[in-house]
């Protein structure tokens, strides 16, 4: 007599598989969907919290192995999907943006640290992993995201709402689409608040998992407007290792804390330079300042991005490094940071507060 495979046994076996960030098993987390059993053939779907999960292959293989070990099982078919959850709640007191699940502010305490470059490459990396991603160019005075994405257009409408531009799978709105290249934007605070509101509320966002807002550097009106008007999942702060940048980043983290915007993580940009001929590593702007600050402030450290000339070239030509050289160490660093950011958002969606990740 052959052993009969039953649903209860399969689910009990799958409790051995745990999400490393949420620290709970996949059955308790309700990741197991559409379980089917036909004789010794078992099939089910694992629905994770983000398509950018860095350990999805290990979780799939472990789930397949624990079920295959059950008596009577002859085959196991595991389908992997993802359903990004929103971090916002009704208690936040701010009306969600229609069509958007998570809003992430990418900021910096000072200019010149490569914040927009990081924001653009993070957005594309999240999109490449399977997420639906959009960007708002929140740097009203210096809207450079269209240059880095290689978009030259004017925004259109469908008669009711603005239709965002699109490139590399990223939907985008920017002040650059509303002005000529050499026209300065000379606005006071209330006008800034108005255009930021328009970018959120009057754009046709559809099914967006991650809306990344490229913030102006420093601590100013746009951050205040953002925090008061929409439910922000959290902020990502970009710094370089040098002391002056780290000091300004500390102030930026404190600003977001005062605005009740959690810090999802720090990224250390221009972390080191590797000589292309001799392969010697040089710490041009110092070393470890961003990671040390993250440890000191008890916020997650999302990773280091090296100094690499094609990153700059890609930004100038509209072909970001994760598109132009997807296999380069720099692109891999951006993808790893995007995965850690997605993990932080998944944690926040379940716990409503960010939890530090395993050190990089």
């Amino acid at each position: 007599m052959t052993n009969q495979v039953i649903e209860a046994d399969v689910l009990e076996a799958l409790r051995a598989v745990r999400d490393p960030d949420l620290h709970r098993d996949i059955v308790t987390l309700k990741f197991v969907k559409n379980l089917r059993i036909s004789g010794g053939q078992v099939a089910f779907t694992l629905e994770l919290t983000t398509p950018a999960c860095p350990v999805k292959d290990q979780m799939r293989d472990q789930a397949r192995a624990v079920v295959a070990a059950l008596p009577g099982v002859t085959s196991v078919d595991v389908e992997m999907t993802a359903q990004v959850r929103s971090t916002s709640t009704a208690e936040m007191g701010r009306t969600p943006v229609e069509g958007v699940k998570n809003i992430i502010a990418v900021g910096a305490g000072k200019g010149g640290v490569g914040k927009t470059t990081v924001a653009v490459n993070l957005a594309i990396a999240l999109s490449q992993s399977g997420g639906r991603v959009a960007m708002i160019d929140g740097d009203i005075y210096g809207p450079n995201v269209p240059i880095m994405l290689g978009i030259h257009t004017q925004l259109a409408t469908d008669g009711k709402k603005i239709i965002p531009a699109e490139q590399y799978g990223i939907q985008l709105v920017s002040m650059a689409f509303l002005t000529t290249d050499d026209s300065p934007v000379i606005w006071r605070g209330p006008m800034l608040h108005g255009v930021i509101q328009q970018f959120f509320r009057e754009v046709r966002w559809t099914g967006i998992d991650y809306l990344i807002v490229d913030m102006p550097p420093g601590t100013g009106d746009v951050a205040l407007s953002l925090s008061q008007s929409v439910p922000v999942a959290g902020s990502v702060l970009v710094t370089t290792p040098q002391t002056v940048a780290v000091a300004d980043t500390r102030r930026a983290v404190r600003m977001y804390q005062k605005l009740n915007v959690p810090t999802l993580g720090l990224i250390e940009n221009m972390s080191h330079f590797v000589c292309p001929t001799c392969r010697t590593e040089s710490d041009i702007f110092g070393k470890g300042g961003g990671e040390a600050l993250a440890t000191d402030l008890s916020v997650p450290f999302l990773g280091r991005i090296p100094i690499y000339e094609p990153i700059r070239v890609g930004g100038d030509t509209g072909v970001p490094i994760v598109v132009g050289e997807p296999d380069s160490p720099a692109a891999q660093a951006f993808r790893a940071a995007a995965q850690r950011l997605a993990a932080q958002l998944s944690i926040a969606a379940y716990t409503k507060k960010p939890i530090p990740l395993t050190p990089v």
Side-chain angles (χ1 to χ4, degrees), residues 8 29 42 47 68 113 128 133 140 144 156 182 192 196 208 228 275 284 292 295 311 313 319 325 329 331 342 354:
L29 290 168
V42 180
E47 184 183 88
V113 298
Q128 289 174 337
V133 184
I140 304 300
N144 293 321
D182 57 356
L192 285 174
I196 291 295
I208 300 301
Q228 291 177 337
C275 175
I284 296 175
T295 300
I311 296 178
V313 173
V319 185
E325 291 189 20

Side-chain angles (χ1 to χ4, degrees), residues 117 120-121 124 128 305 308-315 319-332 334-335:
T117 298
V120 165
N121 281 281
I124 297 177
Q128 289 174 337
I305 309 300
Y308 183 53
E309 185 180 7
I311 296 178
R312 191 271 305 164
V313 173
V319 185
I321 191 70
V322 293
V323 175
E325 291 189 20
D327 297 326
S328 65
Q332 292 172 11
F334 277 119
R335 280 196 298 273

